[in-house]
Amino acid sequence: MSGHLEPIKLDSYKPLRELVCEKIRQAITAGVFKPGERLMEIQLAEEMGVSRTPVREAIRKLELEGFIVMIPRRGTYVADISIKDITEVYEIRTALEILAAGLAAERISDDELQEMQRLLVEIGKHMEDDDMEKIVEADTAFHDVLYQASRNERLGNIISNLREQITTLRGRSMHYPGRLRDTLEEHRAIVESIAHRNVDKAQVAAREHMENAEHTLLKAIEESRE
C-alpha cells in the first residue's frame, strides 16, 4: 500500500466513520490509491489516527459504492474496472432492463406495483438522510421487484450472475453529484409507465435510465483520471 493519508481532524459535525469514508474515497478518486492496490485496515487506521472500527465501516460502504472490492481470504483492494468492463456490463444490463420493464408492464401485480412505489419513497428518504448504503440497498430492491414482475425466471438468473459487477458500477454512478436525483426521477418514469401498462414507454424509460447511468459513470471515471 503506497498511498499515505493525513490524520483525521475531529472538528467536523460529521460522524467519524463518514470522515474516514470521505478521506479514503478522495484518495481513490485522486489516484493516491491505484486500481488493484491492496488496502490494509491497520495501516489506514494508523495513518488517519483512528481505530479500526470506523475504517472497517468505511470499507464496507465504499464496497457498496463500487470503489473497493473485498476478496475472501485475500483482502481488500481498490476496484479495477476498465472501460471495456463497463461497456460490456451495460450492454447486457440495458437489454435485460428493457426486457424486464416491458414484461413488467404486461405482468406486474398490484402488490408488486405498490412495492415499487414504496421503494421510491424509501429511496427519497434515504437521500434526505444522505445514507448511501441504504440508498444502494433500496435501489437494488427496486430492480429486484422489477425483475420479479417480469415473470421470467431465466432473466432473473442472468441478472443474478451479474450482481457483483452491477452493484459495483451502480454505486460509482450514484455517487456522482446530481445523479441520485436524476436516478429517482428515472425510476418514477419507469414505474409510471408500468402502472399505465404502457410497454413501449416502459422500455424507453428503462433504456434512458441505463444510458444515463453509463454516461455518468464514464464521466466520473474520466474526471477522476484528469
Side-chain angles (χ1 to χ4, degrees), residues 95-201:
L96 294 174
E97 292 279 346
I98 291 172
L99 175 60
L103 293 175
E106 296 178 337
R107 303 171 179 177
I108 195 168
S109 69
D110 291 340
D111 287 345
E112 288 166 337
L113 183 57
Q114 288 176 7
E115 177 64 6
M116 292 185 77
Q117 292 168 335
R118 186 194 68 77
L119 285 166
L120 288 181
V121 175
E122 182 178 326
I123 291 171
K125 179 180 180 301
H126 294 321
M127 286 171 56
E128 292 176 0
D129 297 336
D130 195 28
D131 191 334
M132 181 59 76
E133 183 172 345
K134 294 293 185 183
I135 291 169
V136 172
E137 289 177 1
D139 181 80
T140 301
F142 176 89
H143 286 276
D144 284 344
V145 176
L146 177 65
Y147 309 145
Q148 176 183 306
S150 74
R151 299 290 180 273
N152 188 314
E153 186 175 343
R154 286 177 174 79
L155 185 154
N157 290 338
I158 296 171
I159 286 287
S160 293
N161 291 333
L162 289 172
R163 176 76 67 183
E164 182 178 337
Q165 297 98 313
I166 288 173
T167 300
T168 297
L169 298 179
R170 178 183 289 157
R172 283 198 172 191
S173 174
M174 284 184 174
H175 185 71
Y176 193 84
R179 180 57 196 155
L180 282 177
R181 292 290 172 189
D182 291 342
T183 295
L184 187 56
E185 291 306 312
E186 291 161 14
H187 280 177
R188 285 179 176 143
I190 292 171
V191 172
E192 183 177 350
S193 300
I194 290 174
H196 286 88
R197 310 292 175 172
N198 191 316
V199 174
D200 291 339
K201 283 190 175 181

Side-chain angles (χ1 to χ4, degrees), residues 10 14 18 21 25 50 59 61 63 70 84 94 104 108 117 134 139 144 150 155 165 185 192 212 217 220:
L10 301 177
K14 294 182 180 180
E18 190 62 33
C21 187
R25 186 192 295 119
V50 300
I59 285 175
K61 183 175 183 181
E63 182 188 22
M70 298 179 69
K84 182 174 182 291
T94 297
I108 195 168
Q117 292 168 335
K134 294 293 185 183
D139 181 80
D144 284 344
S150 74
L155 185 154
Q165 297 98 313
E185 291 306 312
E192 183 177 350
N212 289 340
L217 176 60

